[in-house]
Amino acid sequence: MFTKVHYFQGLVGVCLLVVLTFGSVQPVYAQDFRPPSSIPAGQVVEGDAFLFGTDVRVDGEVTGDLFAVGANIEVDGDVAGSVYTLGNQISIGSTVGGSAYGLGRGLEFSRDSSIGRNIYILAVNILTESGAIVQDDLVAAGLQAQLSGDIGRNLRTAIIFLNVSGTIGALEEDTSPSEVRDLDLIPPAFRFAAVKLRDSAVLQSISPIES
């Protein structure tokens, strides 16, 4: 049975090459259907929110999951569920109760961001600022990453240029960076690209940084 997560992952798989090749998403609307591109400050969306546009911005609150597709995406409002983003430049600077899924050219988690579960990222450039928090795991594939935020449990990466200055929780035991099972945490729509990146970068399991 297909769920909204399966639907989004399928959309990600179809749009991956378009986003990474052209670096932008131009909105095309049906004549009688114009999905919103923003949630203003003070507005509360009950349930899930679906946003699409050249510039997508969230300053209000979402009580369910957030699905956002656009060239530039900024999420500064709190989301009770998970966040699913597909775009060129993506920025998250708020509290997310669930997990954050991001696919784009550049993806940034500001110092005000707090992710209640996991982060799954496929991007060319990845940044987590000092003060950013992910409670569980961060799974990332891309060209380069600066990870200055804190990770509650494990960091799994397929990154060519990686710099880690934040703190990391307990490392899983009996983990081999060269084995395919390190990709098991990456959703299927992201996994095929991570396998390609693995050919030019070592999958890394990062241990806690000594204070």
Side-chain angles (χ1 to χ4, degrees):
M1 179 178 180
F2 287 99
T3 66
K4 59 190 177 185
V5 174
H6 294 134
Y7 178 82
F8 183 83
Q9 290 180 346
L11 177 64
V12 167
V14 172
C15 296
L16 172 62
L17 293 179
V18 176
V19 173
L20 295 184
T21 300
F22 297 101
S24 64
V25 177
Q26 297 297 328
V28 177
Y29 304 118
Q31 184 175 0
D32 58 348
F33 178 69
R34 292 180 179 271
S37 61
S38 66
I39 300 174
Q43 180 177 342
V44 178
V45 176
E46 298 291 343
D48 299 337
F50 298 83
L51 303 180
F52 179 78
T54 301
D55 295 304
V56 174
R57 184 170 183 86
V58 178
D59 293 305
E61 180 181 349
V62 179
T63 64
D65 295 334
L66 171 65
F67 298 82
V69 178
N72 302 296
I73 301 173
E74 294 186 40
V75 180
D76 291 325
D78 293 343
V79 178
S82 294
V83 172
Y84 303 83
T85 54
L86 171 63
N88 183 35
Q89 297 295 327
I90 302 168
S91 173
I92 296 179
S94 59
T95 298
V96 176
S99 296
Y101 299 80
L103 172 61
R105 186 174 298 274
L107 207 151
E108 173 184 335
F109 291 85
S110 78
R111 60 175 53 88
D112 296 321
S113 64
S114 177
I115 310 302
R117 297 186 64 187
N118 306 299
I119 293 178
Y120 301 96
I121 305 172
L122 177 58
V124 177
N125 300 301
I126 301 168
L127 170 66
T128 65
E129 294 183 347
S130 177
I133 298 173
V134 53
Q135 295 293 338
D136 292 338
D137 300 331
L138 192 155
V139 181
L143 176 63
Q144 60 184 5
Q146 171 64 52
L147 305 180
S148 302
D150 296 333
I151 301 170
R153 294 197 313 192
N154 304 300
L155 170 61
R156 299 289 187 85
T157 68
I159 302 292
I160 298 176
F161 303 105
L162 174 64
N163 185 22
V164 180
S165 59
T167 60
I168 301 174
L171 176 69
E172 285 188 9
E173 298 180 357
D174 191 24
T175 300
S176 173
S178 63
E179 294 186 8
V180 178
R181 65 179 177 175
D182 280 341
L183 297 175
D184 289 345
L185 291 177
I186 302 177
F190 292 70
R191 196 173 301 157
F192 76 97
V195 170
K196 294 297 184 182
L197 285 168
R198 185 184 57 188
D199 295 337
S200 57
V202 178
L203 278 174
Q204 304 170 62
S205 294
I206 309 299
S207 58
I209 297 175
E210 298 294 337
S211 58

